[in-house]
Amino acid sequence: MSVPSKRDVFRKDLLAGRTALITGGSSGIGFGIAEVFASYGASLVLTGRDEQKLAAAEERLAPLGTPVVTVASDVRDYAATQAVIAQAVERFGGLDILINNAAGNFNCPFEKMTPNGWRAVVDIDLNGTFNFCHAAFEALKASSHGGRVINITLAQGVSGWPGSSHAASAKAGVTALTRSLAVEWGPHGIRVNNVLPGPISGTEGLRRLYEDRGEGEKELSRVALGQFGETDDIALSCAFLASPAGEFITGCDMTVDGGRWLKRQWL
Ligand code: NAP
Ligand code: COA
């Protein structure tokens, strides 16, 4: 008997009849979530700033046969965000799942960071998450499946992150927003959770924050399981939270990092 792949763990129609919006769905972890959600039958709305990246993502998803809408927009722009939500609702008749994945980050000592550099990251990561949660509320409330919000955060949002203080601070804000909304929106049936990835191979985050700086091996040594994760590891956790199996889960931090956060403290 063959060993099932990770994706075989869930049934093929796990997310059929649901519409998911993924910010930053054109590359890296966001695209990985899009691929997995498409393979489980969800209709997709993907955003990002770069139209060409979005077009390439749409082309790669086409063989999966699920409807995909891409919208070029910046998560920092609230009016554009409202338009994205309106487009999703018009095209698919509603919105069930919102994944706030878009983020910006770069390594820079705090004293060298310019106010604009700080603002850029906080605006994308934290205010961008505000924008999408705020604009999507009515649609999520109306979801017959119970709306789901999944915010992609970081263990460094709890531990702090020397060299990426802007991203750590912004993700700490997102973590607090998740917990606040889980309680505020519980009565509306909307589940709000964090997923905290560890280092994921082949992504821009791992490349720019570790590998390009010659820190790849060091980062690997911090992972208890001794390996980097795959985008599927994050995407499948999101699929679980978005599925009927996630009905009683809200306000949680789902850490998917091979034990990095724990081992990091012992080095
Ligand atoms: P990535 O490939 O650079 O993905 C970021 C996505 O967000 C891209 O699609 C990008 O597209 C979009 N984006 C960036 N700024 C945007 C803006 N202002 N408005 C709209 N879209 C924007 O990065 P990744 O490494 O996959 O990271 C994805 C998420 O996982 C982030 O939340 C990150 O903090 C988290 N994470 C990653 C790792 C890792 O190992 N990679 C570890 C822990 C957490 P455009 O450039 O076209 O806008
Ligand atoms: N070191 C120090 N400062 C930097 C920097 C770096 N590596 N990269 C950008 N900045 C500063 C810029 O100098 C600018 O500040 P200034 O106007 O005072 O000079 C500020 O950050 C904004 O830069 P800009 O390029 O105009 O911002 P943007 O809105 O076009 O892009 C970023 C946002 C900077 C976060 C960009 O890196 C990005 O688009 N990232 C998305 C992808 C990503 O980060 N993926 C990994 C996710 S974990």
Side-chain angles (χ1 to χ4, degrees), residues 239-264:
F240 170 75
L241 288 173
S243 78
E247 254 170 32
F248 200 52
I249 306 175
T250 198
C252 94
D253 287 347
M254 184 175 279
T255 302
V256 188
D257 75 341
R260 180 201 183 276
W261 77 271
L262 190 56
K263 184 172 180 191
R264 182 76 185 89

Side-chain angles (χ1 to χ4, degrees), residues 25-97:
S26 57
S27 63
I29 290 173
F31 180 76
I33 297 170
E35 222 180 1
V36 162
F37 276 38
S39 75
Y40 291 134
S43 301
L44 297 178
V45 182
L46 309 182
T47 78
R49 292 164 300 175
D50 184 329
E51 275 186 39
Q52 283 182 341
K53 270 173 70 179
L54 286 166
E58 196 172 345
E59 206 176 308
R60 285 176 67 193
L61 293 169
L64 294 169
T66 201
V68 179
V69 168
T70 60
V71 192
S73 76
D74 193 314
V75 296
R76 291 170 281 192
D77 181 340
Y78 186 71
T81 300
Q82 286 179 303
V84 175
I85 302 294
Q87 219 171 312
V89 171
E90 190 185 313
R91 171 70 174 78
F92 295 118
L95 178 67
D96 305 293
I97 305 158

Side-chain angles (χ1 to χ4, degrees), residues 10-209:
F10 301 124
R11 49 190 276 177
K12 287 286 169 216
D13 61 351
L14 187 77
L15 300 175
R18 297 178 194 230
T19 299
L21 191 160
I22 305 166
T23 68
S26 57
S27 63
I29 290 173
F31 180 76
I33 297 170
E35 222 180 1
V36 162
F37 276 38
S39 75
Y40 291 134
S43 301
L44 297 178
V45 182
L46 309 182
T47 78
R49 292 164 300 175
D50 184 329
E51 275 186 39
Q52 283 182 341
K53 270 173 70 179
L54 286 166
E58 196 172 345
E59 206 176 308
R60 285 176 67 193
L61 293 169
L64 294 169
T66 201
V68 179
V69 168
T70 60
V71 192
S73 76
D74 193 314
V75 296
R76 291 170 281 192
D77 181 340
Y78 186 71
T81 300
Q82 286 179 303
V84 175
I85 302 294
Q87 219 171 312
V89 171
E90 190 185 313
R91 171 70 174 78
F92 295 118
L95 178 67
D96 305 293
I97 305 158
L98 167 65
I99 314 252
N100 288 300
N101 162 81
N105 197 355
F106 54 82
N107 186 272
C108 185
F110 181 77
E111 64 278 13
K112 294 212 168 94
M113 201 177 281
T114 66
N116 199 33
W118 171 272
R119 199 174 306 120
V121 170
V122 174
D123 268 354
I124 299 170
D125 295 22
L126 178 56
N127 297 336
T129 302
F130 165 84
N131 286 343
F132 269 86
C133 289
H134 197 265
F137 171 64
E138 291 296 342
L140 292 168
K141 190 171 76 163
S143 167
S144 59
H145 303 282
R148 308 290 161 101
V149 178
I150 299 171
N151 293 327
I152 307 297
T153 61
L154 289 164
Q156 293 94 321
V158 180
S159 66
W161 194 348
S164 277
S165 53
H166 45 13
S169 305
K171 296 287 194 179
V174 175
T175 300
L177 176 62
T178 299
R179 293 173 186 171
S180 307
L181 289 186
V183 176
E184 275 194 50
W185 287 1
H188 302 298
I190 305 172
R191 286 77 168 169
V192 189
N193 291 294
N194 292 316
V195 168
L196 291 70
I200 303 301
S201 60
T203 61
E204 178 62 18
L206 181 60
R207 212 160 17 242
R208 71 163 61 189
L209 297 162

